[in-house]
Amino acid sequence: MALLVENLTARRGSFTLRVERLEVNSVVAVVGRNGSGKTTLLDAIAGVIKAEGRVETCGRDVSRLPPERRRLAYVQSLPVDPPTRVDKFLRALAKMHGTEAEVETVAERLGIKQLLTRRTGLSTGQKQLVNLAAALLTRPCAFLMDEPTSHLDWINKKAFNDAVKELNAPVLYVTHDPFEALYVADTICILENGTIKRCTKEKQDITHAYKLAETLLT
Amino acid sequence: MDSFTKTVVVATVTTLLLLLVFLPLVHISPPPPGLFESMALTATFGLAAAAMSLVPGLAAAMALRRGGVWAVLAQVLYVPAVVPPTSVGVLLLASFSSPRLFCTEGVEALCGAASFVNEYIINRPLGVLIAMTVMALPVAFSIFDGALREERAEIFFRSLGLSGPRLLLTLLLSLRTATVSAFIFAWIRSFSELGVLLIFASYPVTASIYIYQAWLTYGVGPTVGASLAVVALAVAAAYLARRWLSS
């Protein structure tokens, strides 16, 4: 089991989030409106805010561990600037996690090889792919993604989501866009007022709609 | 921008330019010796103080985001910005004078510390550095607090396994716009500091002490040039920083 959440309760002000059980072994999208508790859910799982309940990653209970020891790579909606030149940043991170040999492969897989020597001037979409590459190099048990495409234009959004689909890794993907959820995820869960109402694996194939949109914009 | 807003801006800017530049020029006369030295000294100590304020400022801003007791503790960094600087000066002087107090009351172990403070801190270069760093901390803290509110960079890097000094360094570099802003504005702050320096570290003579002493000794005229030089330097640094940061 890559990520298992059981009896999770977290509070943010007067808002309370309660999740009985959530399993993430593939790309699971959590869809909900603004204020439904999507970010609170990810923050609680990542250990950023206090929560009661059990969070298990790679078969290990990490509920009491700080975020840096949970092996959950948390990609944010607003991508973070790499601290140094992209290749140096990725190599330093890879060295920490014993994945130095994978830097080139990951860069090629995500289509960011041409960005490796860049330090500044990256677009938001490029930064988000660099963030994803950094996250991949840490070999996490699962990815947490909080509306990772909300600042990207449609073409970059599709590029990012294609990369997510090809990760072949467990991802808990939070979005308010049901079409994006249908495109990227295998399982879709609906979050309302801090509770997961239902999860479904029955999804419509909207790949053709995405392809159609892409032809309009390129 | 509507015409009312334009009128308010023009009126405010004109008033400030009149009060802070054009009217004082009527009184200008050559400054007394020591202006250049005091400016150079302030610039040098200001650079060191600004650099020293970055890591604690960032760490406190991160603690503030954590909430609870940590947030309360972090707010202490605002104290030098919200209390009168003379109070900060008095409190620093009292703190650094305490080893002498205990030494005279028979605690021999503190006599060494007391003589070190007298010899190297109060009214000495190290004292200037301490005073400027204390006053630079709120600047760095507030800028990093703003940056971390906008970006959740800390969470991202922690989830990648970074912690401790490595996390702080990564954040300083990633939030480089905030880091550079904090550094420059903390440096500018060192030119405006008088209250703490006057009480705790009035020697070697920094720009604000120079202006104050020149005004006491020679009156307004000879200090106008020095004051305008400080204004020009601070405005130029702030302008260049803003241009560079927005490019």
Side-chain angles (χ1 to χ4, degrees), chain B residues 6-214:
Chain B
K6 284 178 187 168
T7 311
V8 172
V9 170
V10 169
T12 312
V13 170
T14 308
T15 309
L16 280 176
L17 285 176
L18 267 176
L19 293 175
L20 298 180
V21 181
F22 297 117
L23 291 174
L25 278 173
V26 177
H27 302 272
I28 197 163
S29 59
L35 170 63
F36 177 76
E37 290 83 348
S38 69
M39 295 279 276
L41 194 77
T42 310
T44 310
F45 279 103
L47 285 176
M52 284 168 66
S53 70
L54 294 179
V55 169
L58 175 61
M62 288 161 68
L64 189 67
R65 311 288 309 144
R66 201 144 299 173
V69 180
W70 288 107
V72 176
L73 281 176
Q75 300 273 6
V76 173
L77 265 81
Y78 274 132
V79 169
V82 295
V83 301
T86 43
S87 303
V88 178
V90 166
L91 297 172
L92 280 177
L93 187 62
S95 293
F96 281 95
S97 302
S98 47
R100 193 179 55 194
L101 185 72
F102 289 112
C103 170
T104 52
E105 286 180 5
V107 187
E108 294 288 326
L110 289 174
C111 293
S115 62
F116 178 83
V117 166
N118 275 340
E119 209 165 322
Y120 294 106
I121 296 182
I122 298 171
N123 291 325
R124 294 287 185 273
L126 191 53
V128 174
L129 185 61
I130 291 169
M132 284 185 176
T133 305
V134 167
M135 299 311 284
L137 284 172
V139 178
F141 177 43
S142 57
I143 290 174
F144 283 123
D145 177 34
L148 289 176
R149 264 174 217 271
E150 281 175 27
E151 284 190 43
R152 294 172 27 115
E154 182 198 351
I155 297 169
F156 174 67
F157 288 123
R158 286 184 77 189
S159 82
L160 300 184
L162 297 170
S163 62
R166 193 179 277 179
L167 174 67
L168 281 174
L169 181 64
T170 305
L171 276 170
L172 279 177
L173 294 170
S174 176
L175 302 170
R176 46 189 163 267
T177 306
T179 305
V180 173
S181 298
F183 184 80
I184 290 172
F185 286 101
W187 180 71
I188 292 171
R189 178 75 184 83
S190 63
F191 281 88
S192 62
E193 185 39 53
L194 174 65
V196 183
L197 291 170
L198 197 60
I199 292 167
F200 180 64
S202 57
Y203 190 85
V205 176
T206 48
S208 55
I209 297 284
Y210 167 88
I211 292 170
Y212 179 69
Q213 287 176 346

Side-chain angles (χ1 to χ4, degrees), chain A:
Chain A
M1 188 77 64
L3 171 62
L4 173 66
V5 178
E6 284 179 320
N7 300 318
L8 187 80
T9 305
R11 290 174 189 85
R12 198 165 242 166
S14 58
F15 178 82
T16 305
L17 171 95
R18 281 194 188 87
V19 174
E20 276 183 27
R21 187 179 170 87
L22 182 64
E23 284 178 33
V24 181
N25 287 307
S26 56
V27 182
V28 175
V30 173
V31 185
R33 298 186 62 184
N34 290 338
S36 58
K38 301 188 296 294
T39 301
T40 305
L41 171 68
L42 293 188
D43 283 357
I45 293 172
V48 175
I49 58 170
K50 278 185 185 168
E52 293 148 32
R54 184 179 169 84
V55 177
E56 199 181 288
T57 61
C58 296
R60 193 173 59 122
D61 183 1
V62 296
S63 315
R64 296 186 181 280
L65 295 181
E68 58 269 25
R69 292 179 57 201
R70 291 194 174 200
R71 295 192 59 200
L72 290 167
Y74 195 169
V75 178
Q76 314 281 315
S77 57
L78 190 62
V80 170
D81 270 322
T84 54
R85 216 172 75 167
V86 172
D87 56 347
K88 286 183 180 170
F89 168 52
L90 295 180
R91 277 181 219 293
L93 210 54
K95 197 176 172 186
M96 264 181 71
H97 294 274
T99 53
E100 283 161 288
E102 295 170 28
V103 174
E104 295 288 327
T105 323
V106 165
E108 195 160 335
R109 195 169 151 195
L110 296 179
I112 57 163
K113 271 196 104 170
Q114 75 285 3
L115 304 179
L116 288 177
T117 52
R118 298 269 291 274
R119 183 191 170 90
T120 52
L122 297 175
S123 73
T124 312
Q126 289 171 330
K127 272 189 224 170
Q128 195 61 293
L129 286 171
V130 170
N131 282 199
L132 183 60
L136 256 175
L137 288 167
T138 66
R139 280 205 197 129
C141 293
F143 292 84
L144 305 177
M145 297 192 181
D146 186 7
E147 299 184 20
T149 62
S150 61
H151 292 274
L152 308 189
D153 64 41
W154 202 88
I155 296 294
N156 279 322
K157 182 185 277 202
K158 185 175 179 297
F160 184 88
N161 283 335
D162 285 341
V164 170
K165 285 171 78 164
E166 284 162 23
L167 283 179
N168 291 323
V171 180
L172 183 56
Y173 190 107
V174 151
T175 177
H176 53 242
D177 180 351
F179 292 105
E180 185 171 40
L182 283 167
Y183 182 70
V184 80
D186 308 306
T187 304
I188 297 173
C189 297
I190 309 300
L191 188 69
E192 264 179 45
N193 298 321
T195 312
I196 291 182
K197 295 291 177 191
R198 62 182 183 280
C199 290
T200 177
K201 284 180 188 278
E202 290 170 28
K203 53 177 279 185
Q204 300 292 317
D205 185 7
I206 61 157
T207 312
H208 64 284
Y210 263 60
K211 277 188 179 152
L212 188 64
E214 198 175 19
T215 55
L216 285 173
L217 293 164
T218 52

